[in-house]
């Protein structure tokens, strides 16, 4: 049931228009961080209020919403955001990536390929990729406007100097259409190749930092690297123990007090649909044999 | 021995530069030419306008009047009329700035190698191995052991930090180096070593530089020409040895004699 004491999707129409203008500007200048007047939402900042505001500004009554947190539909964060929009917008929801028209995500891009009929909304904690080495906001803005990005490579240099290889494994910086350097939010670098040439519209919302940025469909996105240390989209060298998938991003889970581990798809919908289609992994085959 | 300049164009031509802080004068009516390969020393007591002048030249401060013509790759240009992007590009390619306090010129959270490599990466270097080789080479040239390349400057002594700052600035072969009291704040023995090192680099690289100091030993050792400032104005300028051995202006005479008494 929709809660009638709120406007559709909680935010009032003026606020949604303001956010949409920021989104349109972001789409017009891919990778550029557009400031917007972030509103108080009835949830703490760490819960993705930037993503929630972008979602609220994009939702229509016909949409089918999916919300994931680290790839899972059933974490507290994902469940409460989904419920929030069920209550305030009355929209249909789904856990199936292929059926969703709008997907709000934290820390992952779904495994199932996205289409041009979909919008992917990212929750972003820190939108500024240069923040790590240059804390002054006035200076980072200038660096973006003048395309002074040497500092990003200093960060990667430091990684290699300390760890022997580029150890940054999430929030891995990218260059968009040969112009803006962008933080893709804390997705694993395994997901970086999916950012580029993606048919879906990708929107990024940072609530506390009051920034929105965007990747329109089929945007060129390149992960930064060195000639002699090229970017690699790594994952754990295993197959999923539940569905046997070899190409999906895996979470390592400790299963008992003896410290036994298993590797499972972080994308719960992807894993379940593979199992429903008859695929099996190491553990499901053991169980079947017992 | 100083050679007559072969080129007809000075590297830097400063014309009637004036900077006021409200009604107070920072520096006033300063004019001089700097020729390629020349080192100019600027001396004067505290508050005489040395840092103000240097900051105006390097584009950190906007003067109220005057011109600063730099001989860029594309010919002489008034630095003060450049767009900010042009000036910033200049300051990470053709120019370098060595601060008195190494903390102002270094990234304290980044390793020595990263500090030296930053300018290389800023101008497009994208080969880790090459960047590291050049950083190692430069650490050697400023007498920092190669094995310290992955240490942060916080683990370095003041003298080492200053040498690291120099390496970080010179690695891209700038055409003009600004230095504000590069040996200030260091103990005497450390100063002497840094001076020797700077002198070696200046000779070897044929650097053009403007060095602000109130230490006459620094100018005696490094500067071809000397400019003496008092209350924001240049009171005397000429070849270093001439000015120091035969000062004309009473203030310079005082400056030189007070040093001799030390
Ligand atoms: N930011 C400022 N605001 C107002 N006055 C200033 C400012 N900076 C410098 N001044 C004044 O301008 C004059 C020149 O100062 P400047 O710092 O250039 O001298 P200096 O020769 O570098 O001195 P020092 O040897 O102590 O470094 C002084 O009278 C100083 O008080
Ligand atoms: Mg000074």
């Amino acid at each position: 049931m929709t809660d009638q004491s709120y406007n559709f999707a909680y935010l009032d129409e003026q606020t949604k228009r303001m956010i949409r203008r920021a989104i349109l500007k972001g789409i017009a200048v891919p990778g550029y961080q557009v400031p917007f007047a972030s509103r108080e939402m009835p949830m703490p900042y760490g819960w993705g209020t930037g993503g929630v505001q972008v979602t609220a500004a994009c939702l229509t009554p016909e949409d089918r919403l999916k919300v994931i947190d680290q790839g899972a539909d059933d974490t507290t964060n994902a469940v409460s955001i989904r419920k929030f929009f069920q209550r305030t917008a009355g929209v249909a929801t789904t856990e199936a990536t292929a059926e969703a028209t709008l997907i709000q995500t934290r820390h992952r891009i779904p495994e199932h390929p996205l289409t041009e009929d979909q919008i992917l909304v990212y929750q972003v904690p820190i939108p500024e990729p240069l923040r790590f080495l240059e804390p002054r906001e006035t200076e980072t803005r200038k660096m973006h406007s003048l395309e002074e990005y040497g500092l990003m490579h200093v960060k990667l240099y430091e990684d290699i100097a300390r760890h022997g290889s580029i150890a940054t494994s999430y929030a891995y910086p990218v260059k968009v259409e040969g112009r803006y350097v962008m933080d893709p939010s804390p997705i694993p670098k395994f997901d970086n190749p999916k950012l580029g040439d993606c048919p879906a519209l990708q929107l990024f919302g940072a609530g506390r930092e009051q920034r929105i940025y965007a990747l329109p469909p089929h945007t060129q996105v390149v992960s930064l690297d060195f000639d002699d240390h090229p970017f690699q989209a790594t994952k754990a060298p295993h197959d999923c123990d539940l569905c046997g998938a070899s190409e999906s991003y895996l979470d390592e889970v400790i299963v008992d007090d003896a410290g036994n581990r298993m590797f499972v798809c972080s994308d719960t919908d992807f894993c379940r649909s593979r199992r429903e289609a008859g695929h099996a992994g190491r553990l499901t085959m053991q169980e079947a044999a017992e | 021995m100083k050679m007559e300049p072969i080129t007809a164009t000075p590297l830097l031509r400063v014309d009637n530069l004036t900077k006021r802080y409200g009604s107070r004068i920072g520096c006033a009516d300063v004019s001089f030419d700097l020729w390629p390969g020349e080192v100019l020393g600027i001396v004067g007591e505290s508050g005489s306008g040395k840092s103000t002048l240097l900051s105006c030249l390097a584009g950190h401060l906007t003067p109220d009047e005057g011109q600063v013509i730099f001989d860029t790759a594309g010919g002489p240009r008034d630095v003060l009329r450049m767009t900010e992007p042009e000036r910033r590009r200049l300051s990470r390619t053709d120019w370098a700035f060595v601060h008195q306090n190494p903390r102002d010129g270094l990234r304290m959270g980044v390793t020595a190698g990263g500090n030296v490599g930053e300018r290389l990466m800023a101008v497009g270097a994208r080969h880790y191995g090459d960047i590291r080789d050049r950083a190692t080479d430069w650490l050697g040239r400023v007498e920092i052991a190669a094995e310290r390349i992955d240490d942060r400057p916080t683990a370095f002594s003041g003298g080492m930090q200053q040498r690291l700052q120099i390496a970080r600035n010179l690695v891209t072969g700038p055409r003009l180096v600004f230095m504000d009291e590069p040996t200030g704040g260091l103990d005497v023995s450390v100063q002497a070593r840094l001076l020797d090192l700077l002198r070696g680099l200046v000779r070897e690289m044929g650097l053009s530089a403007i060095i602000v100091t109130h230490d006459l030993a620094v100018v005696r050792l490094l500067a071809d020409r000397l400019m003496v400032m008092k209350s924001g104005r240049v009171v005397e300028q000429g070849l270093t040895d001439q000015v120091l051995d035969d000062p004309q202006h009473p203030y310079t005479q005082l400056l030189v004699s007070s040093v001799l008494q030390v």
Side-chain angles (χ1 to χ4, degrees):
Chain A
M1 273 305 289
T2 315
D3 189 329
Q4 292 302 327
S5 59
Y6 295 116
N7 191 37
F8 176 77
Y10 184 78
L11 294 175
D12 63 79
E13 293 306 310
Q14 286 307 317
T15 301
K16 284 194 270 185
R17 283 180 60 185
M18 176 272 291
I19 294 172
R20 285 178 199 135
R21 279 196 295 269
I23 291 172
L24 287 172
K25 193 167 173 185
I27 292 169
V29 192
Y32 171 73
Q33 298 169 48
V34 183
F36 80 110
S38 183
R39 293 297 144 94
E40 288 282 330
M41 298 300 285
M43 58 192 78
Y45 276 124
W47 284 58
T49 56
V52 168
Q53 290 176 79
V54 170
T55 296
C58 291
L59 272 183
T60 66
E62 296 74 38
D63 270 313
R64 186 176 291 274
L65 177 69
K66 171 181 165 78
V67 182
I68 47 172
D69 176 11
Q70 316 246 20
D73 297 82
D74 57 1
T75 69
T76 320
N77 187 311
V79 169
S80 72
I81 292 174
R82 191 163 57 233
K83 278 198 183 138
F84 174 76
F85 283 116
Q86 273 173 328
R87 193 157 60 83
T88 60
V91 292
T93 61
T94 179
E95 296 192 3
T97 300
E99 286 170 18
T101 56
L102 194 155
I103 303 169
Q104 180 170 331
T105 181
R106 173 174 176 265
H107 295 191
R108 273 315 306 279
I109 298 176
E111 304 290 352
H112 193 282
L114 301 173
T115 69
E116 54 237 334
D117 300 320
Q118 294 177 310
I119 299 176
L120 184 60
V121 176
Y122 297 77
Q123 299 172 203
V124 181
I126 299 170
E128 180 49 74
L130 296 161
R131 177 79 48 87
F132 172 76
L133 289 169
E134 180 50 73
R136 290 168 298 176
E137 169 86 20
T138 48
E139 189 61 18
T140 54
R141 256 194 243 183
K142 199 164 280 173
M143 291 159 98
H144 281 293
S145 74
L146 302 180
E147 267 183 88
E148 292 179 1
Y149 289 132
L151 214 48
M152 284 318 308
H153 276 87
V154 173
K155 183 174 187 280
L156 298 179
Y157 171 95
E158 291 290 290
D159 246 17
I160 304 173
R162 276 155 210 265
H163 309 285
S165 63
I166 299 179
T168 301
S169 55
Y170 61 92
Y172 192 104
V174 295
K175 194 160 203 182
V176 178
E177 288 288 332
R179 178 57 182 87
Y180 285 98
V181 166
M182 187 190 97
D183 183 327
S185 88
I187 58 172
K189 68 177 173 181
F190 173 83
D191 282 341
N192 271 29
K194 295 186 229 164
L195 292 161
D197 199 29
C198 176
L201 170 63
Q202 299 174 81
L203 303 175
F204 300 77
R208 187 179 42 222
E209 304 264 342
Q210 317 213 44
R211 291 289 184 277
I212 285 171
Y213 49 101
L215 295 172
H218 303 292
T219 297
Q220 184 206 62
V221 179
V222 177
S223 301
L224 301 182
D225 61 4
F226 286 105
D227 298 344
D228 49 343
H229 286 267
F231 171 81
Q232 283 177 321
T234 49
K235 67 182 267 286
H238 295 272
D239 295 347
C240 173
D241 284 330
L242 297 182
C243 79
S246 59
E247 300 296 313
S248 80
Y249 191 73
L250 303 174
D251 286 336
E252 193 176 0
V253 185
I254 296 172
V255 288
D256 57 27
D257 292 344
N260 283 314
R261 287 146 201 278
M262 65 172 187
F263 289 93
V264 294
C265 292
S266 96
D267 184 333
T268 51
D269 166 60
F270 177 79
C271 196
R272 187 185 47 243
S273 37
R274 274 181 55 88
R275 276 176 278 143
E276 282 167 7
H279 295 281
R282 184 178 60 91
L283 288 176
T284 33
M285 285 194 272
Q286 267 174 21
E287 266 170 37
E290 278 163 15
Chain B
M1 279 296 265
K2 175 103 184 89
M3 301 225 296
E4 281 305 303
I6 327 162
T7 36
T9 322
L11 185 63
L12 194 72
R13 164 160 279 168
V14 178
D15 203 18
N16 280 305
L17 202 70
T18 297
K19 169 73 189 174
R20 292 181 209 94
Y21 298 104
S23 60
R24 182 181 297 140
I25 285 177
C27 63
D29 298 327
V30 178
S31 301
F32 67 89
D33 288 346
L34 182 80
W35 295 89
E38 193 175 39
V39 176
L40 173 70
I42 303 177
V43 295
E45 65 193 355
S46 183
S48 58
K50 306 182 297 292
S51 295
T52 300
L53 174 60
L54 201 68
S55 297
C56 287
L57 298 179
H60 301 166
L61 275 180
T62 312
D64 298 303
E65 285 159 44
Q67 287 188 318
V68 178
I69 313 286
F70 179 72
D71 190 23
T72 68
R77 295 274 314 274
D78 186 348
V79 174
L80 306 175
R81 291 203 162 65
M82 284 183 182
T83 61
E84 194 186 10
E86 284 179 308
R87 202 158 46 228
R88 282 174 70 111
R89 196 170 311 126
L90 207 59
S91 57
R92 57 173 200 273
T93 52
D94 284 359
W95 291 358
F97 198 104
V98 177
H99 296 261
Q100 169 170 0
N101 186 344
R103 288 175 173 271
D104 296 335
L106 290 173
R107 289 190 191 279
M108 300 306 284
V110 168
T111 62
N115 264 289
V116 178
E118 180 174 346
R119 270 175 82 108
L120 296 169
M121 292 181 250
V123 296
R126 292 293 178 264
H127 190 283
Y128 176 81
D130 290 349
I131 294 165
R132 208 162 162 82
D133 287 347
R134 288 185 66 185
T136 308
D137 175 47
W138 264 97
L139 290 179
R141 291 169 80 165
V142 297
E143 300 168 9
I144 295 175
E147 72 206 34
R148 304 299 301 270
I149 190 168
D150 294 331
D151 289 348
R152 291 185 177 165
T154 40
F156 287 2
S157 69
M160 283 172 82
Q161 289 180 0
Q162 197 56 304
R163 281 181 274 136
L164 181 62
Q165 192 194 181
I166 288 164
R168 165 181 161 88
N169 270 284
L170 297 189
V171 64
T172 46
R175 294 170 61 217
L176 175 57
V177 186
F178 301 101
M179 301 193 205
D180 194 352
E181 306 272 8
T183 60
L186 300 172
D187 337 330
V188 177
S189 65
V190 179
Q191 277 188 19
R193 183 158 164 225
L194 187 67
L195 269 179
D196 282 343
L197 186 99
L198 271 176
R199 186 159 71 154
L201 290 171
V202 161
R203 291 212 173 138
E204 183 187 322
M205 299 177 76
L207 282 182
S208 311
I210 299 179
I211 302 182
V212 159
T213 178
H214 47 239
D215 183 350
L216 292 187
V218 171
V219 289
R220 177 82 80 177
L221 213 55
L222 291 178
D224 304 305
R225 266 191 324 120
L226 184 57
M227 214 159 80
V228 183
M229 293 186 71
K230 183 179 186 319
S231 310
R233 291 175 192 275
V234 177
V235 294
E236 184 162 0
Q237 58 175 316
L239 294 177
T240 303
D241 293 341
Q242 244 166 47
V243 174
L244 291 184
D245 297 339
D246 184 19
Q248 300 299 308
H249 192 278
Y251 175 71
T252 316
Q253 292 167 355
L254 200 71
L255 209 67
V256 171
S257 64
S258 64
V259 154
L260 292 179
Q261 281 162 18
V262 171

